[in-house]
DNA sequence: CGTTATTGTATACGCACCGTTTTCTATGGT
DNA sequence: ACCATAGAAAACGGTGCGTATACAATAACG
């Protein structure tokens, strides 16, 4: 395998990246692979090749392919800002769920799909419960609080389970249908979430 | 590898099963493997060994490991009978969802887990949407009809999405938490499903 | 009955990919 | 200048899917 001349067949004679720089290059490669071929198509070798490094440097930092995807997911996910304050319960809910759906359409969604698949495959227990927790209830509660402050008719005695309903249904839709369209979000908000959390208008219903 | 004597090292000199008999033996082996080691731990070789046959005989009938699990799932799943008629909306819902949860706790649940995982892993499209469809809405609608016939206050103008809510949430719970406890079903029925589908009592609420 | 087509049994193989090991070499610290 | 650390490259072992090959038993057919 002695290359007489031509293309740069080796990275050995090159300024060598270390530490944070290399780490970032690896995560960038993971993100690109997730976007292009998805978690299923992403192999440790393809990530290493793309990052211009070797598998060993990856395994020195993360113990498995799954851990790599989780790390990428954490870095990719950014919690959306709630809309500026002249807003409404419905607008807040739509913005929140739409932002999640948009993230799911990109590499973060591929990572999520892979994490779920792996958590189902491996006998390894519900690391999935950890990953998904938090994303769901916290932001939802904030939206409800904001609506209460605006004196919108949000119930005060909400059952704990309700906090998980929106994100659970969104996730389920994503997993089963591979994507979440705007129509679904609208129905979810108008036909499920709002009816569940608002007090019935006292006189307005015929 | 010439075995001089002793144990029966080969199936060559034995009444040979064919057709339906062999097919059943294979499915039985799949079911047993699903129950014992789950879909992830079930290999084609382990199924073949357990069924006392070879991989070729399996691949002659089913094209892949996934297809095998789907077949087993179809044969395992039995739709539960609704409870006898002096019943109630709540009782019907509890019985229905409890029956599903019970199935999920056995080999059918393992098959389901595997099918979901595979459908997420393979670029193969949403065969998952097919598998899950039907299980959800149809039985739910029958329960609602029965309740309406009993003059329970079930709304008539239910949004289409509502038909999928109970089974979607149950499935999501199963996938994320690996099992569905009775508590969850109770909350699902009392805090989500019934509030969504019943008309608010006209005078009873303070 | 004997011949032939089909199908089960047994085994070995190619392939992909994970995670590891080994070897060599560039870089940073002192 | 030296040495410890860590990156690059390549090869390996292991597992499991799906296939190919060789052979034997059974069914179907004359």
């Amino acid at each position: 395998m002695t290359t007489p001349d031509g293309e740069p067949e080796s990275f050995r004679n090159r300024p060598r990246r270390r530490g944070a720089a290399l780490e970032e290059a690896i995560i960038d490669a993971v993100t690109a692979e997730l976007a292009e071929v998805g978690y299923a198509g992403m192999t440790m070798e393809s990530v290493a090749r793309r990052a211009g490094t070797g598998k060993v440097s990856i395994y020195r930092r993360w113990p498995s392919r799954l851990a790599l995807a989780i790390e990428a997911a954490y870095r990719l996910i950014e919690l959306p800002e709630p809309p500026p304050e002249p807003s409404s319960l419905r607008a807040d809910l739509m913005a929140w769920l739409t932002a999640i759906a948009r993230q799911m359409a990109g590499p973060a969604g591929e990572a999520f799909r892979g994490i779920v698949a792996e958590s189902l495959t491996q006998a390894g227990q519900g690391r999935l419960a950890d990953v998904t927790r938090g994303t769901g209830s916290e932001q939802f509660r904030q939206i409800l609080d904001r609506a209460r402050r605006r004196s919108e008719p949000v119930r005060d005695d909400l059952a704990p389970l309700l906090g998980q309903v929106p994100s659970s249904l969104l996730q389920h839709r994503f997993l089963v249908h591979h994507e979440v369209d705007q129509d679904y979000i609208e129905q979810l908000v108008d036909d499920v979430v709002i009816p569940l959390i608002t007090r019935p208008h006292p006189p307005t219903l015929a």
Side-chain angles (χ1 to χ4, degrees), chain A:
Chain A
M1 277 301 175
T2 52
T3 307
D5 52 6
E7 348 156 3
E9 52 94 39
S10 165
F11 288 92
R12 275 191 185 160
N13 312 316
R14 241 198 18 180
R16 218 178 244 184
R17 297 155 304 178
R18 307 170 73 112
L22 183 54
E23 190 172 314
E24 216 175 309
I26 293 171
I27 292 295
D28 286 351
V30 171
T31 305
E33 286 286 303
L34 286 174
E36 281 183 26
V37 296
Y39 179 80
M42 175 188 104
T43 72
M44 295 306 265
E45 251 135 15
S46 72
V47 171
R49 206 180 317 123
R50 181 163 221 143
T53 182
K55 286 195 290 181
V56 184
S57 299
I58 302 177
Y59 279 107
R60 244 199 275 283
R61 292 172 168 73
W62 295 278
S64 70
R65 184 161 145 266
L66 174 60
L68 205 49
I70 291 177
E71 174 84 32
Y74 271 133
R75 302 204 186 192
L76 283 169
I77 285 174
E78 43 196 48
L79 297 180
E81 285 294 308
E85 193 31 279
S87 180
S88 71
L89 172 60
R90 186 176 188 281
D92 279 9
L93 288 172
M94 290 296 298
W96 173 50
L97 295 173
T98 301
I100 296 179
R102 201 181 318 119
Q103 305 237 6
M104 290 301 202
E110 283 301 328
F112 178 66
R113 227 194 296 280
I115 292 165
V116 174
E118 208 90 354
S119 89
L120 295 177
T121 293
Q122 294 178 349
Q125 36 276 21
R127 189 165 282 289
L128 184 55
D130 305 337
V131 177
T132 54
R133 190 179 312 155
T135 325
S137 335
E138 189 45 40
Q139 300 230 318
F140 186 40
R141 300 217 171 279
Q142 289 179 13
I143 290 175
L144 295 185
D145 282 345
R146 268 171 48 121
R148 287 196 193 94
R149 263 179 259 127
R150 285 189 223 103
S151 310
E152 295 193 58
V154 175
R155 303 182 53 165
D156 291 313
D157 57 335
L158 291 181
L161 177 57
L162 292 187
Q164 307 170 9
V165 166
S167 50
S168 292
L169 285 175
L170 198 76
Q171 282 173 20
H172 187 268
R173 176 77 178 188
F174 172 71
L175 293 176
V176 170
H177 282 72
H178 240 71
E179 60 180 8
V180 181
D181 48 315
Q182 196 65 16
D183 264 17
Y184 181 81
I185 297 180
E186 223 156 291
Q187 292 178 51
L188 176 57
V189 168
D190 290 331
D191 300 337
V192 179
V193 181
I194 289 184
L196 278 175
I197 63 178
T198 55
R199 295 190 297 270
H201 299 209
T204 321
L205 270 183

